[in-house]
Amino acid sequence: MMRLCSSGNGEENEKKKEKQEYRKNEKIALGGILTALAMIFSYIESLIPIPLPVPGVKLGIANIAIISVLYLLGSGQALLVNLLRITLTAVLFGNFNSFLFSMAGGMLSLLVMVILKKSGHFSIVGVSVAGGVFHNVGQITAAVFLMDTTAIYYYLPVLLIFGIVTGIIIGLMGGYVTQRVYPVVGEE
């Protein structure tokens, strides 16, 4: 009788391991899809001129993928996807300066978003707004160091306004994506 029970538990454990492996593969595939999507969004965004008198303003649509990864797969995967997106996009479509600015903005933004998400006090839109603001802070700070002048900080208030507006838009879109995808990859 003990043998039958233990063999049943063995089958149950095997099925559980298979299911966990399948879920892991689903999450890896989703991470790859969102990395590719972020790169496509970055490329498309580089082709669309924004008719504003403020140079360098972008919508940041690639961040839809980043915030979605953060909420669906966690901070480790979000870091990996962000690093891959920034590096591959710079290699394929940019230059070394665009890499430095994107890395400074992207990493500071992600750090702030991870901290705010973990605090549990902010919605996805609030986290995204903070991400948009700190992305601009990171890029401006990188520009100050690269150009060796603090005069660039005068440009920051304008960028912060755009960071707030685009952060709201990206947060709403990321929330929509997260709600639609979570039932597929979320924990049971």
Side-chain angles (χ1 to χ4, degrees):
M1 188 72 161
M2 284 294 269
R3 265 185 135 174
L4 290 176
C5 288
S6 100
S7 126
N9 285 342
E11 288 176 22
E12 195 175 295
N13 286 341
E14 187 64 34
K15 285 182 182 179
K16 193 174 184 179
K17 284 182 183 178
E18 285 178 14
K19 188 173 183 177
Q20 287 174 339
E21 187 66 26
Y22 182 78
R23 308 268 304 151
K24 178 181 171 188
N25 290 338
E26 277 184 332
K27 290 180 178 184
I28 290 170
L30 180 60
I33 290 167
L34 289 172
T35 300
L37 188 61
M39 289 181 60
I40 291 166
F41 283 163
S42 290
Y43 178 68
I44 290 170
E45 191 170 45
S46 73
L47 299 176
I48 301 170
I50 299 193
L52 295 171
V54 182
V57 171
K58 293 185 178 181
L59 297 175
I61 57 176
N63 293 314
I64 297 168
I66 302 304
I67 197 148
S68 297
V69 171
L70 178 61
Y71 275 82
L72 292 168
L73 304 175
S75 56
Q77 281 290 95
L79 175 63
L80 179 62
V81 169
N82 210 19
L83 285 171
L84 285 171
R85 176 193 65 87
I86 291 167
T87 303
L88 293 173
T89 302
V91 167
L92 295 172
F93 315 118
N95 56 45
F96 188 67
N97 281 340
S98 69
F99 171 77
L100 292 176
F101 290 133
S102 293
M103 190 61 75
M107 290 301 109
L108 181 60
S109 169
L110 183 60
L111 175 65
V112 170
M113 290 192 301
V114 166
I115 291 168
L116 295 182
K117 179 184 177 278
K118 285 187 179 190
S119 79
H121 297 299
F122 297 88
S123 68
I124 191 169
V125 174
V127 170
S128 178
V129 167
V133 166
F134 278 92
H135 191 330
N136 290 328
V137 169
Q139 287 192 329
I140 288 292
T141 302
V144 165
F145 283 108
L146 288 173
M147 297 178 185
D148 197 27
T149 178
T150 58
I152 296 170
Y153 277 124
Y154 290 112
Y155 187 47
L156 190 57
V158 174
L159 289 179
L160 294 181
I161 292 167
F162 284 103
I164 291 167
V165 172
T166 59
I168 291 169
I169 294 166
I170 299 305
L172 291 171
M173 295 171 98
Y176 177 77
V177 169
T178 302
Q179 287 176 345
R180 302 290 294 171
V181 176
Y182 185 79
V184 177
V185 299
E187 301 304 323
E188 293 181 350

